[in-house]
Amino acid sequence: MINPKDFFRFASENFDLLKDLHVREAVNEVELRHLIIRHRATGSPTVAYIANQLTSLGYLEEAPYATASMELRPPVRKFLDFVLRQQQLTPVAVIRSYIEALEQMGRDLDQAIERKEADNALRILSECNEIIERMRNDSTDNLEAIIRQTLAIKSNLEKKSVRERYMIVNRIRERYLVPLRELIDIKKPVQQSIDQIQRLFKDGKRTFIAHRALAEEFSRAGSRLLRLRKSVRADFNDSRREVDPLYRTLKRENRIIKGASRALELIDRNGLKSLDLDFSVTFMRVEGMVSDDRLESYFQELSGYTPSPPRAIEEQKPETITVDFIDPIQLQQKLKKILPVTDCFEWLLETFSGESLESILQAYVYILESDNYIASHEADQKIYKIRNYTIKTCPMTVEKG
Amino acid sequence: MNENYKGRFNLPKLAPIFDNLRKGKHICPEDKDLYYPLEQEYEAFNDLFNHLGFDLVKHPRNFYYFRSDISFTPIARRAAVFMFILIEYLASEGTSVEEALTTGYISIESLPHEENSRYQRYMDEAGITVDKSINTLVRLGFAEYRGNSEFRFRAPVYRFIDLCLQILEGKKYDPLNNDDPGSDNIDKTSLLTGFDKGEITDD
Protein backbone atom coordinates (compact mmCIF):
# COMPACT_ATOMS: atom_id res chain seq x y z
CA MET A 1 0.00 0.00 0.00
CA ILE A 2 1.46 3.35 -1.03
CA ASN A 3 1.33 6.11 1.51
CA PRO A 4 0.05 9.19 -0.39
CA LYS A 5 1.97 11.58 1.85
CA ASP A 6 5.22 9.72 1.16
CA PHE A 7 4.34 9.66 -2.54
CA PHE A 8 3.87 13.43 -2.79
CA ARG A 9 6.78 14.23 -0.48
CA PHE A 10 9.08 12.22 -2.72
CA ALA A 11 7.64 14.00 -5.77
CA SER A 12 8.27 17.35 -4.13
CA GLU A 13 11.87 16.52 -3.19
CA ASN A 14 12.76 14.84 -6.49
CA PHE A 15 10.64 16.70 -9.04
CA ASP A 16 13.56 17.44 -11.42
CA LEU A 17 14.41 13.74 -11.45
CA LEU A 18 10.79 12.90 -12.26
CA LYS A 19 10.76 15.47 -15.07
CA ASP A 20 13.81 13.83 -16.59
CA LEU A 21 12.22 10.42 -16.33
CA HIS A 22 9.04 11.82 -17.89
CA VAL A 23 10.81 12.78 -21.11
CA ARG A 24 12.30 9.29 -21.45
CA GLU A 25 10.41 6.26 -22.54
CA ALA A 26 12.48 3.93 -20.37
CA VAL A 27 15.82 3.91 -18.53
CA ASN A 28 18.22 1.10 -17.71
CA GLU A 29 19.94 0.80 -14.32
CA VAL A 30 23.01 2.76 -15.37
CA GLU A 31 20.99 5.60 -16.86
CA LEU A 32 18.76 5.72 -13.79
CA ARG A 33 21.79 5.92 -11.54
CA HIS A 34 23.25 8.78 -13.58
CA LEU A 35 19.95 10.65 -13.47
CA ILE A 36 19.66 10.27 -9.71
CA ILE A 37 23.24 11.50 -9.21
CA ARG A 38 22.61 14.47 -11.48
CA HIS A 39 19.59 15.64 -9.51
CA ARG A 40 20.59 14.53 -6.02
CA ALA A 41 21.08 17.46 -3.64
CA THR A 42 23.79 17.49 -0.97
CA GLY A 43 22.61 15.69 2.15
CA SER A 44 20.00 13.68 0.21
CA PRO A 45 19.54 9.94 0.76
CA THR A 46 21.83 7.55 -1.13
CA VAL A 47 21.41 6.75 -4.80
CA ALA A 48 20.32 3.21 -3.99
CA TYR A 49 17.70 4.47 -1.56
CA ILE A 50 16.20 6.90 -4.08
CA ALA A 51 16.16 4.17 -6.74
CA ASN A 52 14.36 1.89 -4.32
CA GLN A 53 11.82 4.59 -3.42
CA LEU A 54 11.03 5.10 -7.11
CA THR A 55 9.85 1.51 -7.27
CA SER A 56 8.29 1.13 -3.86
CA LEU A 57 6.24 4.35 -4.16
CA GLY A 58 4.92 3.18 -7.51
CA TYR A 59 6.68 5.66 -9.78
CA LEU A 60 8.58 3.09 -11.83
CA GLU A 61 7.91 -0.41 -13.01
CA GLU A 62 9.80 -2.80 -15.24
CA ALA A 63 9.47 -2.06 -18.94
CA PRO A 64 7.84 -5.05 -20.66
CA TYR A 65 10.02 -4.94 -23.76
CA ALA A 66 13.52 -4.72 -22.24
CA THR A 67 15.15 -6.48 -19.35
CA ALA A 68 16.63 -4.37 -16.57
CA SER A 69 14.85 -1.32 -17.87
CA MET A 70 12.33 0.75 -15.99
CA GLU A 71 9.59 3.10 -17.11
CA LEU A 72 7.11 5.44 -15.43
CA ARG A 73 3.82 3.75 -14.54
CA PRO A 74 0.95 5.00 -16.77
CA PRO A 75 -1.01 6.82 -13.99
CA VAL A 76 2.18 8.57 -12.91
CA ARG A 77 2.99 9.51 -16.51
CA LYS A 78 -0.52 10.83 -16.97
CA PHE A 79 -0.29 12.76 -13.73
CA LEU A 80 3.03 14.29 -14.82
CA ASP A 81 1.52 15.05 -18.23
CA PHE A 82 -1.11 17.04 -16.39
CA VAL A 83 1.34 18.79 -14.07
CA LEU A 84 3.76 19.59 -16.88
CA ARG A 85 0.98 20.46 -19.33
CA GLN A 86 2.22 17.77 -21.66
CA GLN A 87 -1.10 16.07 -22.17
CA GLN A 88 -1.37 13.58 -24.96
CA LEU A 89 -4.12 13.49 -27.52
CA THR A 90 -6.80 10.95 -26.74
CA PRO A 91 -7.11 8.45 -29.56
CA VAL A 92 -10.40 8.04 -31.36
CA ALA A 93 -10.76 4.48 -30.13
CA VAL A 94 -10.69 5.62 -26.53
CA ILE A 95 -13.44 8.16 -27.12
CA ARG A 96 -15.51 5.53 -28.89
CA SER A 97 -15.00 3.11 -26.03
CA TYR A 98 -16.30 5.75 -23.60
CA ILE A 99 -19.42 6.17 -25.67
CA GLU A 100 -19.97 2.43 -25.94
CA ALA A 101 -19.51 2.06 -22.18
CA LEU A 102 -21.98 4.88 -21.55
CA GLU A 103 -24.53 3.27 -23.87
CA GLN A 104 -24.19 -0.06 -22.06
CA MET A 105 -24.49 1.66 -18.69
CA GLY A 106 -27.57 3.47 -19.97
CA ARG A 107 -29.23 0.15 -20.78
CA ASP A 108 -28.30 -1.26 -17.36
CA LEU A 109 -29.50 1.88 -15.60
CA ASP A 110 -32.80 1.76 -17.49
CA GLN A 111 -33.36 -1.76 -16.21
CA ALA A 112 -32.37 -0.83 -12.66
CA ILE A 113 -34.78 2.14 -12.67
CA GLU A 114 -37.59 0.03 -14.09
CA ARG A 115 -37.04 -2.61 -11.43
CA LYS A 116 -36.51 0.07 -8.79
CA GLU A 117 -33.17 -1.48 -7.77
CA ALA A 118 -31.67 1.39 -5.79
CA ASP A 119 -28.31 -0.23 -4.94
CA ASN A 120 -27.78 -1.35 -8.48
CA ALA A 121 -28.75 2.09 -9.82
CA LEU A 122 -26.30 3.79 -7.44
CA ARG A 123 -23.45 1.52 -8.60
CA ILE A 124 -24.16 2.14 -12.27
CA LEU A 125 -24.53 5.84 -11.63
CA SER A 126 -21.10 5.89 -10.00
CA GLU A 127 -19.59 4.18 -13.06
CA CYS A 128 -21.36 6.66 -15.35
CA ASN A 129 -19.89 9.54 -13.37
CA GLU A 130 -16.42 8.14 -13.76
CA ILE A 131 -16.78 7.77 -17.53
CA ILE A 132 -18.26 11.28 -17.84
CA GLU A 133 -15.37 12.79 -15.89
CA ARG A 134 -12.80 10.86 -17.91
CA MET A 135 -14.36 12.16 -21.10
CA ARG A 136 -14.27 15.69 -19.79
CA ASN A 137 -10.66 15.39 -18.69
CA ASP A 138 -9.62 13.82 -21.97
CA SER A 139 -11.36 16.59 -23.84
CA THR A 140 -9.48 19.23 -21.84
CA ASP A 141 -6.24 17.29 -22.24
CA ASN A 142 -6.87 17.16 -25.97
CA LEU A 143 -7.19 20.92 -26.09
CA GLU A 144 -3.97 21.34 -24.11
CA ALA A 145 -2.17 18.89 -26.36
CA ILE A 146 -3.50 20.57 -29.48
CA ILE A 147 -2.38 24.00 -28.26
CA ARG A 148 1.06 22.62 -27.40
CA GLN A 149 1.43 20.92 -30.78
CA THR A 150 0.22 23.91 -32.78
CA LEU A 151 2.65 26.16 -30.91
CA ALA A 152 5.47 23.74 -31.71
CA ILE A 153 4.45 23.74 -35.37
CA LYS A 154 4.30 27.53 -35.45
CA SER A 155 7.70 28.01 -33.82
CA ASN A 156 9.15 25.09 -35.85
CA LEU A 157 12.32 24.87 -33.79
CA GLU A 158 12.93 21.42 -35.23
CA LYS A 159 13.00 22.92 -38.74
CA LYS A 160 10.41 20.50 -40.03
CA SER A 161 9.45 20.94 -43.65
CA VAL A 162 6.14 22.53 -44.56
CA ARG A 163 4.89 19.18 -45.79
CA GLU A 164 5.70 17.46 -42.48
CA ARG A 165 3.99 20.22 -40.52
CA TYR A 166 1.00 20.10 -42.81
CA MET A 167 0.70 16.35 -42.28
CA ILE A 168 0.80 16.79 -38.49
CA VAL A 169 -1.92 19.44 -38.50
CA ASN A 170 -4.02 17.46 -40.91
CA ARG A 171 -3.70 14.43 -38.65
CA ILE A 172 -4.78 16.45 -35.62
CA ARG A 173 -7.84 17.62 -37.48
CA GLU A 174 -8.84 14.25 -38.82
CA ARG A 175 -7.90 12.09 -35.86
CA TYR A 176 -8.87 14.27 -32.93
CA LEU A 177 -11.15 17.11 -33.88
CA VAL A 178 -13.56 15.06 -35.95
CA PRO A 179 -14.25 12.54 -33.13
CA LEU A 180 -14.58 15.43 -30.72
CA ARG A 181 -17.16 16.97 -32.97
CA GLU A 182 -19.10 13.73 -32.96
CA LEU A 183 -19.54 14.16 -29.24
CA ILE A 184 -21.26 17.49 -29.59
CA ASP A 185 -22.98 17.45 -32.95
CA ILE A 186 -26.67 17.11 -32.26
CA LYS A 187 -27.19 15.29 -35.55
CA LYS A 188 -24.81 12.49 -34.63
CA PRO A 189 -25.94 9.23 -32.97
CA VAL A 190 -23.54 9.86 -30.10
CA GLN A 191 -25.62 12.83 -29.08
CA GLN A 192 -28.75 10.72 -29.12
CA SER A 193 -27.10 8.27 -26.73
CA ILE A 194 -26.10 11.10 -24.41
CA ASP A 195 -29.59 12.58 -24.63
CA GLN A 196 -30.99 9.18 -23.68
CA ILE A 197 -28.74 9.02 -20.62
CA GLN A 198 -29.76 12.54 -19.64
CA ARG A 199 -33.40 11.42 -19.77
CA LEU A 200 -32.57 8.35 -17.67
CA PHE A 201 -31.02 10.57 -15.01
CA LYS A 202 -34.27 12.55 -14.85
CA ASP A 203 -36.37 9.35 -14.75
CA GLY A 204 -34.13 7.99 -12.00
CA LYS A 205 -34.54 11.13 -9.94
CA ARG A 206 -38.32 10.88 -10.25
CA THR A 207 -38.42 7.13 -9.58
CA PHE A 208 -36.21 7.33 -6.52
CA ILE A 209 -37.63 10.59 -5.15
CA ALA A 210 -38.31 8.90 -1.83
CA HIS A 211 -34.67 7.73 -1.74
CA ARG A 212 -33.30 11.22 -1.23
CA ALA A 213 -29.57 10.46 -1.40
CA LEU A 214 -29.99 8.49 -4.64
CA ALA A 215 -32.28 11.12 -6.15
CA GLU A 216 -29.61 13.74 -5.43
CA GLU A 217 -27.01 11.46 -6.98
CA PHE A 218 -29.09 11.31 -10.17
CA SER A 219 -29.38 15.08 -10.10
CA ARG A 220 -25.60 15.48 -9.68
CA ALA A 221 -24.97 13.03 -12.55
CA GLY A 222 -27.25 15.14 -14.74
CA SER A 223 -25.22 18.22 -13.88
CA ARG A 224 -21.98 16.39 -14.65
CA LEU A 225 -23.32 15.39 -18.04
CA LEU A 226 -24.34 18.96 -18.73
CA ARG A 227 -20.89 20.17 -17.72
CA LEU A 228 -19.34 17.56 -19.98
CA ARG A 229 -21.32 18.84 -22.94
CA LYS A 230 -20.41 22.46 -22.31
CA SER A 231 -16.80 21.61 -21.68
CA VAL A 232 -16.41 19.47 -24.80
CA ARG A 233 -18.11 22.13 -26.89
CA ALA A 234 -15.82 24.86 -25.56
CA ASP A 235 -12.74 22.65 -26.01
CA PHE A 236 -13.76 21.81 -29.54
CA ASN A 237 -14.28 25.44 -30.50
CA ASP A 238 -10.99 26.48 -28.86
CA SER A 239 -9.18 23.66 -30.62
CA ARG A 240 -10.59 24.72 -33.94
CA ARG A 241 -9.45 28.28 -33.37
CA GLU A 242 -5.93 26.96 -32.85
CA VAL A 243 -5.86 24.41 -35.62
CA ASP A 244 -7.89 25.82 -38.50
CA PRO A 245 -5.82 28.95 -39.28
CA LEU A 246 -2.62 26.92 -39.07
CA TYR A 247 -4.11 24.22 -41.26
CA ARG A 248 -5.15 26.74 -43.90
CA THR A 249 -1.76 28.46 -43.86
CA LEU A 250 0.17 25.21 -44.16
CA LYS A 251 -2.15 23.84 -46.79
CA ARG A 252 -1.60 26.95 -48.89
CA GLU A 253 2.17 26.86 -48.28
CA ASN A 254 2.24 23.22 -49.23
CA ARG A 255 0.47 23.97 -52.49
CA ILE A 256 2.74 26.89 -53.32
CA ILE A 257 5.82 24.72 -52.83
CA LYS A 258 4.32 21.84 -54.78
CA GLY A 259 3.55 24.26 -57.63
CA ALA A 260 7.13 25.55 -57.75
CA SER A 261 8.54 22.02 -57.61
CA ARG A 262 6.14 20.88 -60.32
CA ALA A 263 7.32 23.72 -62.58
CA LEU A 264 10.97 22.79 -62.04
CA GLU A 265 10.14 19.15 -62.67
CA LEU A 266 8.49 20.09 -65.98
CA ILE A 267 11.55 22.11 -66.97
CA ASP A 268 13.71 19.10 -66.14
CA ARG A 269 11.58 16.80 -68.23
CA ASN A 270 10.54 18.91 -71.21
CA GLY A 271 12.62 22.05 -71.11
CA LEU A 272 11.80 25.61 -70.16
CA LYS A 273 9.85 26.37 -73.32
CA SER A 274 7.37 23.61 -72.53
CA LEU A 275 5.98 25.64 -69.63
CA ASP A 276 2.84 27.27 -70.89
CA LEU A 277 1.61 29.42 -68.06
CA ASP A 278 -0.80 32.27 -67.82
CA PHE A 279 1.73 34.76 -66.58
CA SER A 280 2.46 37.90 -68.49
CA VAL A 281 4.67 40.90 -67.94
CA THR A 282 3.94 43.82 -70.22
CA PHE A 283 6.95 45.43 -71.71
CA MET A 284 6.29 47.99 -74.38
CA ARG A 285 8.89 50.09 -76.10
CA VAL A 286 8.20 53.72 -76.99
CA GLU A 287 7.75 52.96 -80.67
CA GLY A 288 5.11 50.43 -79.80
CA MET A 289 2.93 52.96 -78.06
CA VAL A 290 -0.53 53.85 -79.13
CA SER A 291 -0.67 56.37 -81.98
CA ASP A 292 -1.75 59.97 -81.47
CA ASP A 293 -4.56 59.47 -84.04
CA ARG A 294 -6.09 56.68 -81.95
CA LEU A 295 -5.77 58.68 -78.77
CA GLU A 296 -7.32 61.76 -80.35
CA SER A 297 -10.17 59.92 -82.00
CA TYR A 298 -11.10 58.37 -78.66
CA PHE A 299 -11.05 61.73 -76.94
CA GLN A 300 -13.21 63.26 -79.63
CA GLU A 301 -15.71 60.45 -79.44
CA LEU A 302 -16.00 60.89 -75.69
CA SER A 303 -16.52 64.64 -75.75
CA GLY A 304 -19.01 64.78 -78.60
CA TYR A 305 -16.56 66.76 -80.63
CA THR A 306 -17.56 67.34 -84.25
CA PRO A 307 -14.57 67.05 -86.47
CA SER A 308 -13.89 69.73 -89.02
CA PRO A 309 -14.11 68.72 -92.71
CA PRO A 310 -11.07 66.88 -93.88
CA ARG A 311 -8.36 68.92 -95.43
CA ALA A 312 -8.43 68.97 -99.23
CA ILE A 313 -5.79 66.91 -100.87
CA GLU A 314 -3.39 69.21 -102.57
CA GLU A 315 -2.91 68.44 -106.21
CA GLN A 316 -0.29 69.59 -108.57
CA LYS A 317 -1.70 70.19 -112.03
CA PRO A 318 0.58 69.18 -114.81
CA GLU A 319 1.19 71.81 -117.46
CA THR A 320 -0.52 69.83 -120.25
CA ILE A 321 -2.95 66.96 -120.05
CA THR A 322 -2.56 64.23 -122.58
CA VAL A 323 -5.63 62.09 -123.12
CA ASP A 324 -4.91 58.98 -125.09
CA PHE A 325 -8.38 58.35 -126.56
CA ILE A 326 -10.85 59.95 -129.06
CA ASP A 327 -13.48 61.97 -127.29
CA PRO A 328 -16.82 60.19 -128.05
CA ILE A 329 -18.74 63.50 -128.22
CA GLN A 330 -16.37 64.91 -130.73
CA LEU A 331 -16.53 61.60 -132.67
CA GLN A 332 -20.31 61.63 -132.80
CA GLN A 333 -20.45 65.29 -133.91
CA LYS A 334 -18.08 64.66 -136.77
CA LEU A 335 -19.76 61.42 -137.82
CA LYS A 336 -23.23 62.97 -137.72
CA LYS A 337 -22.24 65.57 -140.32
CA ILE A 338 -21.23 63.07 -142.98
CA LEU A 339 -23.61 60.14 -142.47
CA PRO A 340 -24.02 57.77 -144.20
CA VAL A 341 -20.35 56.58 -144.43
CA THR A 342 -19.55 53.71 -146.82
CA ASP A 343 -16.15 52.87 -145.34
CA CYS A 344 -16.11 53.83 -141.64
CA PHE A 345 -12.58 52.61 -140.94
CA GLU A 346 -11.19 54.61 -143.86
CA TRP A 347 -13.08 57.66 -142.56
CA LEU A 348 -11.65 57.22 -139.06
CA LEU A 349 -8.10 56.94 -140.39
CA GLU A 350 -8.50 60.15 -142.36
CA THR A 351 -10.42 62.16 -139.75
CA PHE A 352 -8.26 61.18 -136.73
CA SER A 353 -4.96 60.69 -138.50
CA GLY A 354 -3.01 62.01 -135.50
CA GLU A 355 -4.41 59.43 -133.10
CA SER A 356 -2.85 56.09 -132.14
CA LEU A 357 -4.04 52.82 -133.64
CA GLU A 358 -5.52 51.82 -130.22
CA SER A 359 -7.65 55.02 -130.18
CA ILE A 360 -8.85 54.44 -133.76
CA LEU A 361 -9.85 50.87 -132.95
CA GLN A 362 -11.66 51.98 -129.73
CA ALA A 363 -13.64 54.53 -131.80
CA TYR A 364 -14.42 51.86 -134.44
CA VAL A 365 -15.81 49.48 -131.77
CA TYR A 366 -17.74 52.36 -130.18
CA ILE A 367 -19.53 53.09 -133.49
CA LEU A 368 -20.12 49.40 -134.17
CA GLU A 369 -21.75 48.80 -130.76
CA SER A 370 -23.64 52.09 -130.54
CA ASP A 371 -27.43 52.04 -130.81
CA ASN A 372 -27.26 55.42 -132.61
CA TYR A 373 -25.99 53.84 -135.82
CA ILE A 374 -26.71 50.95 -138.13
CA ALA A 375 -23.58 49.20 -139.27
CA SER A 376 -23.25 46.74 -142.18
CA HIS A 377 -20.19 45.05 -143.72
CA GLU A 378 -19.29 44.40 -147.36
CA ALA A 379 -18.45 40.85 -148.40
CA ASP A 380 -14.88 41.46 -149.59
CA GLN A 381 -12.04 42.26 -147.34
CA LYS A 382 -9.91 45.35 -147.69
CA ILE A 383 -6.40 46.12 -146.46
CA TYR A 384 -5.69 49.31 -144.53
CA LYS A 385 -2.23 50.69 -143.74
CA ILE A 386 -1.58 52.78 -140.68
CA ARG A 387 1.99 53.57 -139.77
CA ASN A 388 3.73 50.21 -139.30
CA TYR A 389 0.52 48.16 -139.04
CA THR A 390 -1.56 46.45 -141.69
CA ILE A 391 -5.25 45.95 -140.84
CA LYS A 392 -7.41 43.55 -142.91
CA THR A 393 -11.20 43.84 -142.54
CA CYS A 394 -14.46 44.06 -144.48
CA PRO A 395 -15.40 47.73 -145.06
CA MET A 396 -18.22 48.85 -142.75
CA THR A 397 -21.06 51.11 -143.91
CA VAL A 398 -22.62 53.27 -141.19
CA GLU A 399 -26.02 54.91 -141.35
CA LYS A 400 -28.06 56.84 -138.91
CA GLY A 401 -29.82 54.44 -136.46
CA MET B 1 -7.56 69.20 -78.03
CA ASN B 2 -11.08 69.76 -76.83
CA GLU B 3 -11.32 71.13 -73.28
CA ASN B 4 -13.93 68.54 -72.20
CA TYR B 5 -11.89 65.50 -72.67
CA LYS B 6 -8.79 67.34 -71.62
CA GLY B 7 -10.44 67.96 -68.25
CA ARG B 8 -11.84 64.47 -67.86
CA PHE B 9 -8.52 62.79 -68.44
CA ASN B 10 -6.39 65.30 -66.69
CA LEU B 11 -5.50 62.48 -64.30
CA PRO B 12 -2.82 63.02 -61.72
CA LYS B 13 0.58 61.55 -62.61
CA LEU B 14 -0.89 60.03 -65.77
CA ALA B 15 2.35 60.25 -67.74
CA PRO B 16 4.66 58.60 -65.17
CA ILE B 17 2.02 56.03 -64.23
CA PHE B 18 1.54 55.02 -67.85
CA ASP B 19 5.25 55.06 -68.49
CA ASN B 20 5.91 52.72 -65.57
CA LEU B 21 3.03 50.37 -66.31
CA ARG B 22 3.92 49.99 -69.97
CA LYS B 23 7.43 49.02 -68.97
CA GLY B 24 6.01 46.16 -66.91
CA LYS B 25 6.33 47.83 -63.55
CA HIS B 26 3.96 46.73 -60.78
CA ILE B 27 2.75 49.68 -58.75
CA CYS B 28 2.06 49.04 -55.07
CA PRO B 29 1.44 51.24 -52.01
CA GLU B 30 5.18 51.71 -51.56
CA ASP B 31 5.17 53.74 -54.78
CA LYS B 32 3.23 56.45 -53.02
CA ASP B 33 3.28 59.09 -55.78
CA LEU B 34 2.10 56.63 -58.39
CA TYR B 35 -0.06 54.35 -56.27
CA TYR B 36 -2.40 56.82 -54.60
CA PRO B 37 -3.58 58.54 -57.81
CA LEU B 38 -4.30 55.08 -59.22
CA GLU B 39 -6.09 54.04 -56.06
CA GLN B 40 -8.21 57.19 -55.93
CA GLU B 41 -8.98 57.47 -59.64
CA TYR B 42 -8.97 53.81 -60.49
CA GLU B 43 -12.16 53.90 -62.55
CA ALA B 44 -10.95 56.79 -64.71
CA PHE B 45 -7.50 55.26 -65.21
CA ASN B 46 -9.02 51.90 -65.99
CA ASP B 47 -11.45 53.43 -68.47
CA LEU B 48 -8.76 55.38 -70.23
CA PHE B 49 -6.26 52.52 -70.43
CA ASN B 50 -8.96 50.09 -71.46
CA HIS B 51 -9.97 52.25 -74.43
CA LEU B 52 -6.37 52.48 -75.42
CA GLY B 53 -6.12 48.71 -75.48
CA PHE B 54 -4.44 48.12 -72.13
CA ASP B 55 -5.72 45.80 -69.44
CA LEU B 56 -5.09 47.43 -66.08
CA VAL B 57 -5.29 44.81 -63.34
CA LYS B 58 -5.94 45.58 -59.71
CA HIS B 59 -4.72 42.62 -57.70
CA PRO B 60 -6.53 41.77 -54.44
CA ARG B 61 -3.22 42.37 -52.70
CA ASN B 62 -3.44 46.03 -53.67
CA PHE B 63 -1.10 46.52 -56.56
CA TYR B 64 -1.60 47.39 -60.20
CA TYR B 65 -0.08 46.17 -63.44
CA PHE B 66 -0.80 45.84 -67.13
CA ARG B 67 -1.80 42.38 -68.25
CA SER B 68 -0.61 41.37 -71.67
CA ASP B 69 -2.27 39.02 -74.13
CA ILE B 70 1.04 37.31 -74.66
CA SER B 71 1.69 34.91 -71.85
CA PHE B 72 4.97 33.69 -70.49
CA THR B 73 7.19 35.92 -72.52
CA PRO B 74 10.94 35.35 -72.12
CA ILE B 75 11.20 38.07 -69.47
CA ALA B 76 8.31 36.54 -67.47
CA ARG B 77 9.73 33.07 -67.91
CA ARG B 78 13.14 34.11 -66.61
CA ALA B 79 11.70 35.85 -63.56
CA ALA B 80 9.50 32.82 -62.85
CA VAL B 81 12.40 30.35 -63.01
CA PHE B 82 14.34 32.41 -60.48
CA MET B 83 11.29 32.42 -58.17
CA PHE B 84 10.54 28.70 -58.53
CA ILE B 85 14.06 27.90 -57.42
CA LEU B 86 13.88 30.32 -54.51
CA ILE B 87 10.55 28.91 -53.30
CA GLU B 88 11.77 25.32 -53.45
CA TYR B 89 14.93 26.27 -51.61
CA LEU B 90 13.10 28.17 -48.85
CA ALA B 91 10.81 25.17 -48.33
CA SER B 92 13.74 22.78 -48.06
CA GLU B 93 15.16 25.02 -45.32
CA GLY B 94 11.95 24.63 -43.28
CA THR B 95 11.18 28.31 -43.78
CA SER B 96 7.65 29.56 -44.22
CA VAL B 97 7.72 30.48 -47.90
CA GLU B 98 4.98 33.08 -47.93
CA GLU B 99 6.37 34.72 -44.81
CA ALA B 100 9.92 34.74 -46.18
CA LEU B 101 8.77 36.25 -49.47
CA THR B 102 6.60 38.91 -47.96
CA THR B 103 8.62 39.96 -44.92
CA GLY B 104 12.27 40.51 -44.27
CA TYR B 105 15.35 40.83 -46.43
CA ILE B 106 17.11 38.11 -48.39
CA SER B 107 20.86 38.06 -48.59
CA ILE B 108 22.02 37.74 -52.19
CA GLU B 109 25.01 35.72 -51.03
CA SER B 110 22.76 33.12 -49.43
CA LEU B 111 20.85 32.40 -52.63
CA PRO B 112 21.23 28.82 -53.85
CA HIS B 113 20.68 29.51 -57.55
CA GLU B 114 24.32 29.24 -58.56
CA GLU B 115 25.46 26.96 -55.75
CA ASN B 116 23.38 23.89 -56.49
CA SER B 117 24.08 22.10 -59.78
CA ARG B 118 20.41 21.33 -60.46
CA TYR B 119 19.43 24.94 -59.89
CA GLN B 120 22.38 26.10 -62.01
CA ARG B 121 21.02 23.96 -64.85
CA TYR B 122 17.67 25.76 -64.73
CA MET B 123 19.44 29.12 -64.61
CA ASP B 124 21.55 28.18 -67.63
CA GLU B 125 18.50 27.06 -69.57
CA ALA B 126 16.75 30.33 -68.81
CA GLY B 127 19.94 32.22 -69.69
CA ILE B 128 19.97 34.15 -66.42
CA THR B 129 22.28 34.92 -63.55
CA VAL B 130 21.34 35.83 -60.00
CA ASP B 131 22.27 39.48 -60.54
CA LYS B 132 20.35 39.76 -63.79
CA SER B 133 17.30 38.13 -62.26
CA ILE B 134 17.21 40.40 -59.24
CA ASN B 135 17.70 43.44 -61.46
CA THR B 136 14.74 42.33 -63.56
CA LEU B 137 12.59 41.75 -60.49
CA VAL B 138 13.51 45.18 -59.16
CA ARG B 139 12.82 46.84 -62.50
CA LEU B 140 9.37 45.23 -62.72
CA GLY B 141 8.50 46.29 -59.19
CA PHE B 142 8.56 42.81 -57.66
CA ALA B 143 11.54 43.53 -55.41
CA GLU B 144 13.66 46.26 -53.94
CA TYR B 145 17.36 46.40 -53.12
CA ARG B 146 18.79 47.34 -49.75
CA GLY B 147 22.40 48.21 -50.31
CA ASN B 148 24.32 45.91 -52.62
CA SER B 149 24.00 42.70 -50.70
CA GLU B 150 20.31 42.36 -49.83
CA PHE B 151 16.90 42.67 -51.37
CA ARG B 152 13.34 42.18 -50.33
CA PHE B 153 10.13 41.44 -52.16
CA ARG B 154 7.22 43.83 -52.48
CA ALA B 155 3.50 43.00 -52.55
CA PRO B 156 3.52 42.13 -56.30
CA VAL B 157 5.50 38.98 -55.42
CA TYR B 158 2.04 37.49 -54.87
CA ARG B 159 1.85 37.09 -58.63
CA PHE B 160 4.46 34.33 -58.38
CA ILE B 161 2.58 32.75 -55.48
CA ASP B 162 -0.56 32.80 -57.63
CA LEU B 163 1.46 31.25 -60.44
CA CYS B 164 2.56 28.32 -58.25
CA LEU B 165 -1.04 27.67 -57.24
CA GLN B 166 -2.06 27.87 -60.89
CA ILE B 167 0.51 25.23 -61.85
CA LEU B 168 -0.68 22.88 -59.16
CA GLU B 169 -4.31 23.24 -60.05
CA GLY B 170 -3.50 22.58 -63.69
CA LYS B 171 -5.85 25.34 -64.73
CA LYS B 172 -6.06 29.07 -64.66
CA TYR B 173 -5.84 30.26 -61.08
CA ASP B 174 -7.55 33.58 -60.86
CA PRO B 175 -6.65 35.51 -57.72
CA LEU B 176 -9.20 38.13 -58.71
CA ASN B 177 -11.97 35.59 -58.19
CA ASN B 178 -10.58 34.06 -55.08
CA ASP B 179 -12.60 35.00 -52.03
CA ASP B 180 -9.71 34.94 -49.66
CA PRO B 181 -6.40 35.44 -51.37
CA GLY B 182 -4.49 35.07 -48.14
CA SER B 183 -5.71 31.64 -47.39
CA ASP B 184 -7.40 29.19 -49.64
CA ASN B 185 -10.69 27.69 -48.77
CA ILE B 186 -10.66 24.52 -46.81
CA ASP B 187 -10.37 21.47 -48.97
CA LYS B 188 -13.94 20.59 -49.75
CA THR B 189 -13.05 17.03 -50.59
CA SER B 190 -11.61 16.49 -47.15
CA LEU B 191 -13.08 13.93 -44.88
CA LEU B 192 -14.06 16.84 -42.73
CA THR B 193 -17.14 17.66 -44.75
CA GLY B 194 -19.09 20.41 -43.12
CA PHE B 195 -16.28 20.99 -40.70
CA ASP B 196 -15.88 24.61 -41.43
CA LYS B 197 -19.42 25.75 -41.29
CA GLY B 198 -18.91 27.51 -38.01
CA GLU B 199 -18.62 26.95 -34.35
CA ILE B 200 -20.78 24.59 -32.43
CA THR B 201 -23.10 26.43 -30.11
CA ASP B 202 -25.38 25.44 -27.30
CA ASP B 203 -28.40 25.46 -29.61
Side-chain angles (χ1 to χ4, degrees), chain B residues 1 29 31 45 61 74 84-85 104 112 125 128 133 138 160 175 186:
Chain B
M1 282 188 176
D31 308 305
F45 274 106
R61 293 280 179 179
F84 292 148
I85 294 171
E125 183 160 358
I128 50 174
S133 302
V138 169
F160 293 104
I186 297 290

Side-chain angles (χ1 to χ4, degrees), chain A residues 140-152:
Chain A
T140 309
D141 283 357
N142 262 357
L143 173 62
E144 294 286 343
I146 285 169
I147 290 172
R148 187 166 46 82
Q149 291 200 15
T150 51
L151 282 174

